[in-house]
Amino acid sequence: MMGHKCRRGELYSERLRPYMTELKKTIDLYKEKNPEEEVLIVSDHGMSTVRKKINPELTKYFGKQGDKTYIAYCDTAVMCVWTKDKNLEEKIAEHLSSIEEGHLLTEEERAYFGAADKKFGDLIYILREGNVFADNWFGKSVKKPNPDGSGMHGFWPEREAKDQMACIILSGKRRKLNDLYDYKAANKLITEVMKGGE
């Protein structure tokens, strides 16, 4: 929550320092008691500074939401749209594709990320780093104006979106880490370390 309420920078680092100090003590103690074990530390994600709020204006272009038209759900940086009208789906897809601050997932991308099932939406649109939807369902505390700025994650995972990348740290002599892992390779690495394998 601290990362959401305070953008990256000196203030964020200052607020985080006491927690990181305690975490380091815990890791050092574990390594002292288990010197032969590999210790793998994995963050769940990074945090990017929010720079712009995006309004795709679906109501303006496609009318009121409803079970006979379309339903759109926004969670900060991800929009899922459901509709039974294929013609309307095409028009909404074309409109979302014209908004440069985001990316409309292709069928191939949906399959790769495990979101091919239409229960996730007939359309899935993900904003690029630094953008959030002006109207979304995320926590109220993040929506309030904040003089310290705000942070968010969950953006379309382009390689230049470095601030939102997860971090992997390994302490041990059995293996050397690569510079970059995709999420499937990272999962394989974590599983191998947890099982104690090579």
Side-chain angles (χ1 to χ4, degrees):
M1 183 50 70
M2 193 181 300
H4 287 300
K5 293 179 83 170
C6 179
R7 67 176 180 261
R8 290 169 62 95
E10 283 302 313
L11 182 60
Y12 176 67
S13 298
E14 182 184 318
R15 290 181 179 178
L16 202 61
R17 193 167 288 115
Y19 301 98
M20 298 306 291
T21 300
E22 288 305 309
L23 176 61
K24 185 178 184 311
K25 286 180 188 174
T26 303
I27 294 165
D28 288 343
L29 181 61
Y30 185 89
K31 286 169 62 178
E32 184 182 313
K33 292 187 175 189
N34 304 278
E36 298 304 312
E37 282 192 24
E38 289 183 298
V39 176
L40 186 72
I41 303 164
V42 183
S43 71
D44 54 348
H45 55 72
M47 192 70 73
S48 302
T49 298
V50 172
R51 303 189 187 285
K52 189 175 179 184
K53 293 190 175 181
I54 305 300
N55 182 359
E57 299 185 293
L58 295 187
T59 306
K60 174 182 173 182
Y61 293 104
F62 308 107
K64 189 176 177 182
Q65 295 189 42
D67 59 356
K68 290 186 170 65
T69 54
Y70 68 97
I71 299 292
Y73 171 82
C74 295
D75 185 359
T76 62
V78 180
M79 173 186 279
C80 301
V81 180
W82 293 266
T83 181
K84 295 172 186 170
D85 184 336
K86 286 295 172 191
N87 185 42
L88 181 59
E89 181 183 328
E90 286 179 19
K91 288 178 179 176
I92 294 173
E94 187 178 334
H95 172 67
L96 292 175
S97 295
S98 73
I99 303 170
E100 64 184 20
E101 289 88 358
H103 175 78
L104 184 65
L105 268 68
T106 65
E107 293 303 318
E108 293 77 18
E109 289 165 342
R110 290 183 63 151
Y112 176 79
F113 289 110
D117 195 314
K118 295 299 181 177
K119 71 181 180 184
F120 297 111
D122 295 301
L123 301 170
I124 301 176
Y125 180 74
I126 303 179
L127 293 176
R128 291 191 158 87
E129 186 176 36
N131 301 292
V132 295
F133 288 109
D135 186 20
N136 65 71
W137 288 86
F138 195 64
K140 290 179 182 176
S141 64
V142 178
K143 293 179 185 177
K144 294 175 183 173
N146 187 347
D148 300 328
S150 61
M152 191 51 65
H153 54 90
F155 304 109
W156 179 239
E158 293 161 309
R159 286 183 184 242
E160 62 266 26
K162 296 189 187 310
D163 283 351
Q164 70 167 355
M165 285 184 165
C167 179
I168 300 175
I169 301 170
L170 178 68
S171 174
K173 298 176 182 173
R174 291 187 203 168
R175 76 189 83 226
K176 186 177 177 183
L177 293 181
N178 298 331
D179 289 335
L180 190 68
Y181 290 87
D182 66 17
Y183 80 99
K184 289 182 181 178
N187 185 65
K188 183 173 180 286
L189 170 71
I190 294 164
T191 303
E192 286 173 359
V193 172
M194 288 178 70
K195 287 180 177 177
E198 288 299 320

